[in-house]
């Protein structure tokens, strides 16, 4: 455990470091948990993607989870790999690079496409390369169904691709709505609604018009600086956005195609670079944590874990309102370095586990537990 | 920098946008004044006209002040980015960028016409204007939307002609459809050459400069596939400066040729070095203005296009063919091209349809061919397959593909089918991308047979929806909650039920599509008669009499312009000429493309 990491007390829960995964030769940008298998991927300015496997330890004295490096994908990207995303099947990995390309990685399936033969250490091949962005790609995301892939870039565009068999892709839309660098794309957890966040301080929401093309149906304004990261709530009713203005805003879906600002979370001293919204493991009975846990991190090196729920409005007791409280906090999570991303593990049974990537090149895995 | 007023794009969202990486260095052309040691600091002032001046602050001992004319001011040159700068830089993937356009504008045309010395002068430049049919359609749709009776393309052409001739002083006014006819003939000839092994297939259309520019900058691997036949605009340039010029006894530099186009990128096309005549230091097309800029010209001069002109419904057949029936409004012109040849197919030039017609007509058994079409997701991406009825053999497979998104997919598909690497070359570094064997059933092979031809256009809906076209007429528009202008009634919404509306932008966007449909309809409204019916399946379609006449006229142009030696029988476009004439044909009707190397510096981008 890093000696500089500081645990903050007086919270109902603590954040315990489970593993520090070193190996990247430059800053680590992003991490992605495989949704179906015990695998964690990380990417870095060193142009590689590192894969780690994890398993419950059999040694009673050792930590309960053991992480081990499985393989490193050299990628071949000419510049930094800024983001990684697993497809919902867990078989395909997408990389977004500053070389303006999106790589799609998978392992060669044997004749029957048998799953039993899965060996994550075997070679990961670049099955497809999605070109079209003019400049640095910043983020990539698969839709819940895995049928669509979205990417965004400093070229101010958001692209939507349809995933076809044999790792073939068809461009479904090039969305030129933002006036600046697009930092992040995120899909709704169940529907084909896409959100993007930008240096132009706004969030755009898009849907497909079956007769026509993808289009922006709403722009969410409110942040006073760059919006760095987006996360839908697991139930899909809320969207969280993290900004350079040090705040996190929560937006509620009030109609099918209408989202409204409802609350702001303040708990950071600098830019909030990354947020992740997981199901969490409620600390006490009742529905206080019914909306799950939101983890946030950024330039101040702090990780906050917020418990979100629906409760009574303080102003009008007859109305429901969003409730939120910080349940756990870590300062200097990566020492003096910025923390670039935070991601909850999506797998059942691991809802209290998240990973971070920092400018120190390290990837860390953390567990939230009651104090 | 004064931009033309028409230079505002509609809210189309599928255009290629300017890049952040425009790194054209601003060159200082002011000669440095000998440094005055006494003049310490200066400051920059801007006057009401937007001119910049450098002003000495302490004002000691400067010459101007000594002369008693107030503080010393030096006017500074405004940095300008010319079309050629933009063509040479890979920073922008361009479409309709305002910075590019100062050199070719309606103000430039007016300026030229005002400063053109009258005819007796040896410096008189012979002004000629050629108008694209899509521009006429845009004007016709705009006129029709505010009149009880639809206005035909012929009427618009006649009215614009009178304006250009009587008000502006142009000597001749043409539409570009005959040039397109030649372009189509040469295009079919080029396709046949490629089919027989001289060059790569699929052949991709070259008439859209937005697409050509994009390919040169980002998909150099597509260049060998792009047809080398000149676009109608550039063929028109050749016809005007080389063929008509000779008839008029004018050298190319004595003619000022303006075109009216639906597209800003046509300005870029006209300024390509390939279309510059070194010997005479002149371009085939001197100035390109958009439909919107033509409308501005008419506004400036107070010309009302809704007022009919004499004989505006009388078509004009080329007198050169002995079928003269010129209406009095049209000056008798022995060189008049066949006008308004509306090639059936698409409103973007009918490249695919005319190729299909040619292939069908030249097949040993035209009746046995069956044309099937398949809509790929939207009307902007359609596949056309010619199949032999009995053998089920696919004779030809083509597609029309409009809009930036579909263009991406075609580039990917063509790259995959032809086995070339797509993109800027990064793919080569990623192992395995191309080495993979894709398992496919035999049935899929025929289905997946690569294209022979693709009609590529960068704009969604094609040229009728070009960036230089007129905006939809705003009638009883109302503003919705988000400030978007919309017409509730037209959207099928009764006022007062706004809450139940679906996402507002659907209707807002739909309005644009509706307008494009109106322009499309206007395009086919050539004469005050019903639009031509689409060609019957598998039947040669362009052999109607206007096209036969055009073919004949084209043969004459070819013979004269290439100075071909006499051949047995009539010269047709496909007639093999003597070597010298063939090489002249090549020079006059074909062009070339070159990849623009990316010079974008990887500036340290932190995030």
């Amino acid at each position: 455990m890093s000696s500089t990491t500081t645990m903050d007390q007086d919270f109902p829960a603590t954040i315990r470091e489970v593993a520090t995964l070193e190996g990247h030769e430059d800053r680590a940008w992003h991490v992605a948990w495989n949704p179906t298998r015990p695998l964690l991927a990380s990417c870095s300015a060193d142009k590689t993607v590192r894969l780690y496997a994890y398993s419950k330890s059999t040694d009673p004295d050792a930590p309960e989870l053991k992480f081990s490096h499985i393989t490193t994908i050299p990628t071949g990207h000419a510049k930094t790999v800024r983001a990684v995303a697993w497809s919902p099947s867990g078989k395909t990995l997408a990389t977004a690079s500053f070389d303006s390309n999106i790589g799609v990685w998978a392992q060669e399936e044997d004749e029957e496409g048998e799953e039993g033969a899965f060996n994550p250490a075997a070679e990961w091949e670049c099955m497809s390369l999605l070109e079209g962005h003019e400049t640095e790609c910043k983020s990539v995301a698969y839709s819940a169904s895995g049928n669509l892939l979205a990417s965004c870039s400093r070229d101010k565009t958001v692209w939507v691709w349809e995933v076809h068999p044999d790792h073939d892709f068809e461009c479904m839309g090039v969305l030129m709505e933002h006036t600046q660098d697009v930092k992040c794309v995120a899909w709704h957890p169940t529907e084909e609604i896409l959100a993007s966040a930008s240096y132009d301080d706004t969030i755009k929401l898009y849907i497909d018009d079956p007769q026509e093309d993808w289009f922006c149906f709403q722009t969410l304004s409110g942040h006073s600086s760059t919006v760095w990261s987006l996360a839908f709530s697991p139930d899909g009713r809320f969207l969280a956005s993290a900004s350079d203005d040090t705040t996190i805003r929560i937006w509620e879906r009030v109609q099918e195609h209408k989202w409204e600002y409802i609350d702001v979370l303040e708990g950071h001293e600098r830019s909030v670079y990354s947020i992740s919204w997981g199901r969490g493991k409620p600390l006490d009975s009742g529905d206080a944590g019914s909306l799950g846990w939101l983890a946030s991190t950024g330039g101040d090196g702090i990780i906050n874990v917020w418990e979100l729920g629906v409760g009574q409005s303080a102003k009008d007791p007859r109305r429901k309102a969003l409730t939120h409280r910080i349940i756990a906090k870590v300062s200097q999570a990566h020492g003096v370095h910025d923390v670039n991303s935070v991601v909850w593990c999506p797998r059942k049974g691991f809802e209290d586990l998240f990973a971070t990537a920092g400018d120190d090149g390290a990837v860390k895995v953390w567990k939230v537990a009651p104090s | 920098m004064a931009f033309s007023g028409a230079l505002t794009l509609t809210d189309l969202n599928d255009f290629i946008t300017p890049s952040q990486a425009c790194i054209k260095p601003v060159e200082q052309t002011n000669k440095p004044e000998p440094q005055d040691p006494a003049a310490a600091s200066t400051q920059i002032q801007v006057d009401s006209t937007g001119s910049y001046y450098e002003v000495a602050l302490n004002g000691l001992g400067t010459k101007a002040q000594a002369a008693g004319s107030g503080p010393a001011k030096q006017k500074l040159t405004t940095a300008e980015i010319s079309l050629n700068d933009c063509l040479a830089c890979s920073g922008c993937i361009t479409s309709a960028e305002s910075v590019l356009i100062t050199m070719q504008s309606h103000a430039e045309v007016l300026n030229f016409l005002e400063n053109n010395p009258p005819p007796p002068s040896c410096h008189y430049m012979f002004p000629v204007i050629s108008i694209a049919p899509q521009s006429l359609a845009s004007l016709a749709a705009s006129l029709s939307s505010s009149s009880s009776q639809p206005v035909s393309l012929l009427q618009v052409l006649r009215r614009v002609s009178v304006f250009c001739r009587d008000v502006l002083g142009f000597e001749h006014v043409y539409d570009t459809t005959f040039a397109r006819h030649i372009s189509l003939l040469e295009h079919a000839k080029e396709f046949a050459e490629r089919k027989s092994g001289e060059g790569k297939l699929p052949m991709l259309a070259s008439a859209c400069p937005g697409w050509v520019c994009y390919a040169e900058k980002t998909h150099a691997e597509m260049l060998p596939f792009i047809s080398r036949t000149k676009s109608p605009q550039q063929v028109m340039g050749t016809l005007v400066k080389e063929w008509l010029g000779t008839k008029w006894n004018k050298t190319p530099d004595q003619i000022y040729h303006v075109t009216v186009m639906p597209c800003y990128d046509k300005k870029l096309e006209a300024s390509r070095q390939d279309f510059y005549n070194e010997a005479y230091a002149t371009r085939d097309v001197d100035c390109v203005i958009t439909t919107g800029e033509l409308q501005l010209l008419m506004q400036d001069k107070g010309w009302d296009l809704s007022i009919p002109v004499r004989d505006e419904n009388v078509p004009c057949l080329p007198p050169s063919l002995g079928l003269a029936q010129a209406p009095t409004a049209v000056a008798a012109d022995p060189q008049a091209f066949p006008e308004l040849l509306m090639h059936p197919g698409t409103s973007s030039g009918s490249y695919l349809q005319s190729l299909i017609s040619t292939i069908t007509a030249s097949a040993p058994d035209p009746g046995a061919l069956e044309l099937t079409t398949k809509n790929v997701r939207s009307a902007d991406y359609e596949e056309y397959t010619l199949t032999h009825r009995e053998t089920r053999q696919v004779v030809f497979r083509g597609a029309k593909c409009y809009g930036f998104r579909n263009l991406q997919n075609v580039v990917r598909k063509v790259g995959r089918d032809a086995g070339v690497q797509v993109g800027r070359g990064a793919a080569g570094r990623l192992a395995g991308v191309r080495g993979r064997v894709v398992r496919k059933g035999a049935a899929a092979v025929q289905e997946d047979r690569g294209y022979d031809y693709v009609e590529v256009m960068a704009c969604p809906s094609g040229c009728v929806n070009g960036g230089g076209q007129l905006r939809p007429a705003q009638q009883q528009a109302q503003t919705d909650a988000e400030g978007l202008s919309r017409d509730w009634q037209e959207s099928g919404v009764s006022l007062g039920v706004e809450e139940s509306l679906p996402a507002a932008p659907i209707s807002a966007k739909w309005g644009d599509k509706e307008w494009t449909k109106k322009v499309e309809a206007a395009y086919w409204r050539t004469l005050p008669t019903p639009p031509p019916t689409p060609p019957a399946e598998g039947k040669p379609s362009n052999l109607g009499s206007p096209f036969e006449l055009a073919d004949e006229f084209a043969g004459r142009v070819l013979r004269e312009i290439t100075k071909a030696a006499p051949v047995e029988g009539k010269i047709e476009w496909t007639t093999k000429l003597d070597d010298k004439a063939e090489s002249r044909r090549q020079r006059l009707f074909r062009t070339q493309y070159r990849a623009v190397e990316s010079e974008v510096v990887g500036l340290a981008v932190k995030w």
Side-chain angles (χ1 to χ4, degrees):
Chain A
M1 189 182 286
S2 168
S3 60
T4 52
T5 301
T6 315
M7 288 296 167
D8 288 69
Q9 301 305 317
D10 310 326
F11 289 107
T14 54
I15 300 171
R16 189 162 54 77
E17 191 175 316
V18 174
T20 296
L21 309 171
E22 285 167 337
H24 279 303
E25 287 161 13
D26 204 334
R27 68 182 65 178
W29 277 117
H30 196 213
V31 284
W33 297 89
N34 187 301
T36 60
R37 299 190 177 97
L39 273 178
L40 177 67
S42 65
C43 63
S44 154
D46 69 9
K47 303 166 196 166
T48 69
V49 170
R50 291 173 69 86
L51 291 186
Y52 300 92
Y54 55 95
S55 55
K56 288 221 159 66
S57 172
T58 44
D59 182 352
D61 297 330
E64 61 176 329
L65 272 179
K66 190 170 163 289
F67 281 77
S68 51
H69 175 241
I70 291 291
T71 187
T72 300
I73 308 174
T75 79
H77 277 300
K79 292 181 183 172
T80 292
V81 181
R82 176 63 181 86
V84 277
W86 288 101
S87 69
S89 72
K91 289 181 179 175
T92 311
L93 181 75
T95 51
S97 167
F98 283 180
D99 70 6
S100 80
N101 295 321
I102 303 292
V104 176
W105 307 81
Q107 294 184 312
E108 198 73 67
E109 284 181 2
D110 57 20
E111 289 302 309
E112 290 80 36
E114 285 278 320
E115 250 187 81
F118 180 75
N119 169 18
E123 196 191 348
W124 289 81
E125 286 184 63
C126 183
M127 296 300 194
S128 202
L129 192 69
L130 306 181
E131 294 173 291
H133 281 298
E134 255 188 85
T135 54
E136 292 84 352
C137 292
K138 300 300 178 80
S139 171
V140 60
Y142 276 97
S143 69
S145 65
N147 292 331
L148 296 167
L149 180 76
S151 61
C152 63
S153 158
R154 188 168 71 88
D155 68 10
K156 310 174 196 170
T157 65
V158 171
W159 291 48
V160 179
W161 299 87
E162 193 170 66
V163 183
H164 287 195
D166 283 322
H167 302 289
D168 195 6
F169 286 79
E170 187 187 338
C171 175
M172 302 306 276
V174 179
L175 301 158
M176 301 176 179
E177 298 289 333
H178 284 295
T179 57
Q180 293 293 340
D181 190 352
V182 190
K183 301 293 188 184
C184 176
V185 280
W187 288 98
H188 187 273
T190 51
E191 296 171 45
E192 289 187 344
I193 300 173
L194 178 66
S196 66
S198 163
Y199 184 66
D200 68 11
D201 306 352
T202 70
I203 299 150
K204 305 267 182 188
L205 295 165
Y206 315 86
I207 49 170
D208 187 17
D209 175 347
Q211 262 73 56
E212 300 287 341
D213 294 333
W214 279 79
F215 69 97
C216 172
F217 69 87
Q218 198 179 357
T219 301
L220 305 178
S221 305
H223 281 296
S224 58
S225 190
T226 303
V227 187
W228 279 109
S229 178
L230 295 169
F232 280 96
S233 63
D235 67 2
R237 287 156 59 205
F238 299 90
L239 173 68
S241 57
S243 165
D244 182 60
D245 67 14
T246 74
T247 70
I248 296 158
R249 283 182 173 248
I250 310 287
W251 313 81
E252 184 183 9
R253 186 179 195 175
V254 292
Q255 283 172 24
E256 191 183 4
H257 296 306
K258 194 170 176 194
W259 296 70
E260 272 177 8
Y261 162 73
I262 48 160
D263 215 335
V264 63
L265 311 185
E266 289 169 325
H268 285 278
E269 293 152 19
R270 292 199 188 174
S271 281
V272 189
Y273 288 146
S274 179
I275 46 174
S276 178
W277 199 330
R279 296 198 176 276
K281 285 186 176 173
L283 296 176
D284 40 42
S285 54
D287 60 3
S290 62
L291 292 176
W293 290 353
L294 181 85
S296 60
T297 191
D300 55 10
I302 293 172
I303 301 168
N304 282 324
V305 175
W306 313 72
E307 183 185 67
L308 296 168
V310 176
Q312 272 180 352
S313 164
K315 287 179 201 143
D316 181 355
R318 288 163 301 176
R319 297 190 59 181
K320 295 275 187 186
L322 187 82
T323 62
H324 56 82
R325 59 168 180 163
I326 296 180
I327 54 164
K329 180 171 188 155
V330 177
S331 298
Q332 295 180 292
H334 283 250
V336 298
H337 300 277
D338 287 10
V339 187
N340 295 316
S341 65
V342 57
V343 183
W344 289 105
C345 179
R347 292 177 65 222
K348 210 168 163 50
F350 298 92
E351 294 92 345
D352 51 0
L353 204 66
F354 67 86
T356 55
D359 271 359
D360 54 356
V363 170
K364 295 191 182 194
V365 182
W366 312 79
K367 190 173 176 160
V368 178
S371 298
Chain B
M1 217 180 284
F3 296 133
S4 107
L7 202 61
T8 28
L9 273 181
T10 48
D11 56 349
L12 300 163
N13 66 357
D14 195 23
F15 287 88
I16 304 162
T17 53
S19 160
Q20 292 189 333
C22 176
I23 44 159
K24 164 71 185 160
V26 176
E27 286 162 22
Q28 177 63 266
T29 53
N30 285 359
K31 293 244 166 68
E33 292 261 306
Q35 198 73 49
D36 185 341
S41 56
T42 63
Q43 68 181 31
I44 308 290
Q45 282 183 358
V46 190
D47 74 6
S48 56
T49 64
S51 301
Y52 290 79
Y53 294 92
E54 188 177 4
V55 185
L57 259 193
N58 56 0
L60 278 174
T62 56
K63 278 167 265 165
Q65 221 178 16
S69 58
K73 270 187 177 181
Q74 190 194 357
K75 190 173 181 187
L76 299 176
T77 313
T78 311
E80 282 189 44
I81 299 173
S82 75
L83 286 167
N84 272 319
D85 293 330
C86 289
L87 285 170
C89 166
S90 65
C92 299
I93 294 173
T94 176
S95 184
E97 278 179 278
S98 59
V99 276
L100 306 190
I101 302 187
T102 46
M103 273 177 64
Q104 300 183 48
S105 65
H106 80 291
E108 177 64 32
V109 172
L110 280 180
N111 194 36
F112 165 81
L113 293 168
E114 276 159 23
N115 293 314
N116 196 19
S121 163
C122 61
H123 296 295
Y124 174 68
M125 297 252 291
F126 196 75
V128 177
I129 189 164
S130 311
I131 305 164
Q134 295 87 2
S135 294
L136 293 173
S138 183
L139 292 165
S142 181
L143 286 176
S144 300
S145 71
S146 55
S147 99
S148 53
Q149 279 210 319
V151 182
S152 73
L153 286 202
L154 183 66
Q155 288 169 301
V156 176
L157 178 63
R158 290 281 181 269
R159 294 175 195 181
V160 170
S161 300
V162 172
F163 166 72
C164 290
R165 237 181 263 137
D166 297 357
V167 179
L168 296 179
F170 278 97
E171 297 276 358
H172 291 281
V173 185
Y174 300 103
D175 72 83
T176 60
T177 56
F178 176 66
R180 177 170 74 191
H181 191 73
I182 288 189
S183 206
L184 289 169
L185 289 171
E186 185 63 16
H187 196 252
K189 182 173 182 286
E190 183 185 359
F191 181 78
E193 286 167 15
R194 286 175 182 251
K195 194 83 184 165
S196 68
E198 299 170 49
K200 289 197 177 189
L201 284 178
M203 184 162 100
L204 309 177
S206 62
C208 172
W211 149 239
V212 169
C213 216
Y214 178 70
E216 287 187 323
K217 286 171 177 178
T218 60
H219 288 287
E221 78 286 349
M222 288 293 124
L223 299 183
F225 298 98
I226 298 178
S227 160
R228 296 170 69 115
T229 300
K230 279 187 186 177
S231 72
Q233 169 174 278
Q234 294 312 130
V235 168
M236 194 67 202
T238 302
L239 291 179
V240 166
K241 296 243 168 163
E242 306 274 342
W243 190 73
L244 289 172
T246 318
K247 304 284 172 199
W248 299 327
N249 218 0
K250 304 274 178 200
T251 57
D253 57 335
Q254 290 171 328
I255 300 168
Y256 185 74
H257 184 201
V258 178
T259 59
V260 181
M261 289 286 146
C263 165
Y264 282 95
D265 284 351
K266 284 283 169 191
K267 296 177 190 241
L268 293 177
E269 182 182 87
S271 42
R272 290 174 73 92
Q273 66 183 75
D274 311 272
F275 306 133
Y276 182 73
N277 183 332
E278 295 274 351
Y280 288 98
T282 184
R283 296 184 184 286
D284 294 345
V285 177
D286 295 281
C287 187
V288 180
I289 60 170
T290 61
T291 316
E293 288 170 318
L294 174 63
Q295 199 193 33
L296 277 184
L297 272 178
M298 293 189 284
Q299 269 169 18
D300 281 8
K301 298 285 180 185
W303 181 263
D304 187 350
L305 201 61
S306 66
I307 299 169
V309 297
R310 209 144 56 94
D311 291 338
E312 64 174 14
N313 287 326
V314 184
C316 166
L317 293 169
S320 53
L321 291 165
L323 300 156
Q325 198 208 353
T328 45
V330 181
D333 179 359
Q335 324 302 348
F337 295 134
E339 64 178 6
L340 292 178
L341 294 164
M342 305 313 285
H343 301 96
T346 63
S347 57
S348 299
S350 304
Y351 295 90
L352 176 63
Q353 186 60 52
S354 90
L355 209 51
I356 290 173
S357 302
T358 308
I359 290 166
T360 311
S362 63
D365 183 9
L369 295 181
E370 180 183 44
L371 182 67
T372 51
T373 64
K374 187 179 141 203
N375 201 321
V376 185
R377 191 172 156 86
S378 74
D380 273 352
Y381 193 170
E382 285 175 331
E383 292 181 345
Y384 291 72
T385 311
L386 266 181
T387 318
H388 197 279
R389 261 181 241 279
E390 278 138 38
T391 62
R392 304 314 299 166
Q393 181 96 26
V394 173
V395 176
F396 171 88
R397 194 148 181 269
K400 75 159 203 189
C401 159
Y402 297 167
F404 186 61
R405 166 171 64 78
N406 291 328
L407 190 151
Q408 294 300 320
N409 293 320
V410 155
V411 164
R412 290 179 72 80
K413 181 169 168 51
V414 169
R416 198 170 52 234
D417 292 346
V420 295
Q421 283 182 357
V422 171
R424 297 182 177 93
R429 291 192 288 275
L430 292 177
V433 176
R434 303 284 156 203
R436 221 151 39 79
V437 179
V438 179
R439 292 182 296 272
K440 276 210 176 111
V445 174
Q446 189 78 338
E447 173 75 10
D448 274 6
R449 177 195 142 117
Y451 296 139
D452 296 296
Y453 181 82
V454 189
E455 182 175 310
V456 187
M457 302 287 158
C459 293
S461 305
C463 300
V464 286
N465 187 32
Q469 296 283 61
L470 304 180
R471 287 156 168 252
Q474 298 261 319
Q475 289 171 325
Q476 357 147 273
Q478 295 177 38
T479 305
D480 72 1
E482 289 179 38
L484 287 157
S485 181
R486 48 188 296 195
D487 185 340
W488 299 104
Q489 251 89 37
E490 257 215 333
S491 312
V493 177
S494 56
L495 295 172
V497 289
E498 286 144 57
E499 296 78 20
S500 61
L501 280 178
I506 293 180
S507 336
K509 213 175 123 226
W510 176 80
D512 270 1
K513 292 269 176 191
E514 278 308 293
W515 176 248
T516 306
K517 276 185 200 159
K518 283 183 182 162
V519 182
E520 175 79 25
Y523 178 89
W524 296 110
R525 212 184 297 126
T526 318
L527 301 167
T529 47
T533 46
E537 232 178 57
K539 197 166 149 261
S541 58
N542 65 350
L543 296 176
S545 85
F547 298 105
E548 271 171 13
L549 294 179
D551 280 348
E552 207 170 316
F553 202 109
R556 175 188 157 200
V557 169
L558 180 70
R559 188 182 73 234
E560 294 179 6
I561 203 167
T562 61
K563 303 182 183 80
V567 294
E568 251 180 70
K570 213 165 45 170
I571 286 192
E572 289 181 357
W573 198 264
T574 47
T575 305
K576 172 95 176 114
L577 308 173
D578 58 288
D579 289 356
K580 263 194 175 163
E582 278 298 332
S583 98
R584 257 180 241 123
R585 179 217 290 262
Q586 193 78 14
R587 180 177 63 78
L588 292 167
F589 298 109
R590 301 273 176 104
T591 181
Q592 56 184 335
Y593 312 103
R594 60 194 68 78
V596 178
E597 285 302 312
S598 175
E599 288 161 8
V600 178
V601 191
L603 294 172
V605 175
K606 200 183 164 200
W607 300 289

